[in-house]
Amino acid sequence: FFGMPEGYGDGRGQGSPREQMGSGSGVIIRKDGYIVTNNHVVGDASSIEVTLNNNQTYTASLVGTDPATDVAIIKIDADNLPVIPFADSDKLRLGEWVLAIGSPYDLRSTITAGIVSAKGRSMPNYGKDLKIESFIQTDAAVNPGNSGGALVNAAGELVGINTSIISLTGSYAGYSFAVPVNIVSKVADDFIQYGEVRRAMLGVSITDMTSNLAASAGLGEVRGVYVADVAKDGVAENAGIVAGDIILEVNLNRVQNSAALQEQISRLRPGEQAVFTIVRDGKRKELIVTL
């Protein structure tokens, strides 16, 4: 993840400690002042200040943060703000042009261009905290300060929130990652409507498919998610999912890997139903799951 460089403004090595400051980017999602950004930009802030493109500055309040998706919602006291339209991030195609907009190194309203390099990326999770990651990978140049900024398609519609990079130096090295807007939209709606994220759980242990697993299941291609174990009396077991099943689709959306399945589940709320397409003993089945 990337905000401004570590130690920025904290006075280390300068004789006396100072208040630590950081900066990032954000996207206005409602006319009445709701803004989406990253959890790692504002999650531990004691105060938040927002400067709009017209140089107007506001004090912002923190509506909610979701470390699992690294999404946060803040709000400023303003009306009739310009709002970005949302696209459907599921419809993004590899090779499609995208633009990253943000304020790297405090260079405000910087725009860079790239293509969608991959979808459904996840990062190694070295801790035990819940992480829901199905990143859009692009080669649009992003740097510290871009966190929380918009990734838009050629029509100017929001497709993701720029969140992280892979780099040995801390600066852009060709690989940047954004949270898909379909995840962002659900998290934002939950915070605004309920004051918290209401997250559905399936109750399975899963792993990505391999050639051997696909062959033993009679699949002609290596895709889907293998169910290694099912929680006793959990949602999946009650719906008829068993260990050894292969999940291919959720509500007709293909799940290529574990990250894609997590993304589909993260869009749903407790109590909602979803149609799971699975393969068991070489045969396709559809199961209705109440999450």
Side-chain angles (χ1 to χ4, degrees):
F1 299 120
F2 58 107
M4 286 299 287
E6 182 181 357
Y8 171 78
D10 68 357
R12 279 185 285 182
Q14 298 180 21
S16 61
R18 294 195 306 229
E19 182 181 53
Q20 184 169 351
M21 297 176 62
S23 68
S25 305
V27 183
I28 301 170
I29 58 172
R30 286 196 6 177
K31 291 182 178 181
D32 53 352
Y34 284 95
I35 297 170
V36 64
T37 184
N38 281 142
N39 171 67
H40 76 265
V41 172
V42 298
D44 296 322
S46 56
S47 63
I48 305 168
E49 188 177 84
V50 171
T51 301
L52 302 184
N53 197 47
N54 61 5
N55 295 319
Q56 188 75 30
T57 300
Y58 298 85
T59 298
S61 58
L62 184 64
V63 176
T65 64
D66 183 33
T69 58
D70 198 25
V71 172
I73 304 297
I74 61 177
K75 188 181 186 304
I76 60 176
D77 187 12
D79 292 309
N80 297 318
L81 296 174
V83 177
I84 192 169
F86 284 14
D88 182 352
S89 51
D90 283 344
K91 295 181 179 178
L92 270 180
R93 301 178 64 186
L94 302 187
E96 182 176 342
W97 281 100
V98 287
L99 304 174
I101 306 171
S103 302
Y105 300 118
D106 283 336
L107 299 171
R108 284 178 44 202
S109 300
T110 295
I111 303 174
T112 56
I115 62 169
V116 176
S117 306
K119 295 169 62 177
R121 293 291 199 208
S122 60
M123 302 294 178
N125 185 3
Y126 298 110
K128 295 183 179 180
D129 296 333
L130 173 66
K131 294 292 184 183
I132 298 174
E133 297 177 340
S134 185
F135 291 125
I136 301 165
Q137 179 183 330
T138 79
D139 63 352
V142 295
N143 276 293
N146 269 113
S147 284
L151 185 73
V152 304
N153 60 18
E157 300 166 327
L158 186 69
V159 297
I161 296 296
N162 297 312
T163 297
S164 59
I165 57 177
I166 287 180
S167 172
L168 297 178
T169 64
S171 297
Y172 175 69
Y175 310 98
S176 58
F177 302 88
V179 180
V181 72
N182 288 359
I183 292 179
V184 173
S185 176
K186 192 267 181 182
V187 172
D189 287 345
D190 277 5
F191 275 131
I192 294 170
Q193 185 172 352
Y194 306 114
E196 63 182 2
V197 178
R198 297 188 173 182
R199 181 164 288 122
M201 305 298 285
L202 185 58
V204 293
S205 297
I206 55 176
T207 184
D208 289 339
M209 288 293 292
T210 64
S211 298
N212 290 337
L213 288 174
S216 63
L219 285 178
E221 56 181 332
V222 182
R223 72 178 185 93
V225 176
Y226 181 78
V227 178
D229 194 16
V230 178
K232 185 174 178 56
D233 296 326
V235 167
E237 184 181 71
N238 292 337
I241 296 175
V242 300
D245 285 349
I246 298 169
I247 301 173
L248 298 179
E249 297 176 352
V250 178
N251 289 335
L252 300 181
N253 294 309
R254 291 181 55 162
V255 289
Q256 192 69 26
N257 51 37
S258 299
L261 177 60
Q262 283 187 316
E263 178 184 358
Q264 293 297 323
I265 299 300
S266 72
R267 300 179 192 176
L268 303 169
R269 295 186 176 92
E272 291 185 336
Q273 290 187 330
V275 178
F276 280 66
T277 303
I278 67 167
V279 170
R280 181 186 300 165
D281 299 327
K283 298 179 180 179
R284 290 171 67 103
K285 294 186 176 183
E286 289 189 348
L287 300 175
I288 297 177
V289 179
T290 301
L291 295 160

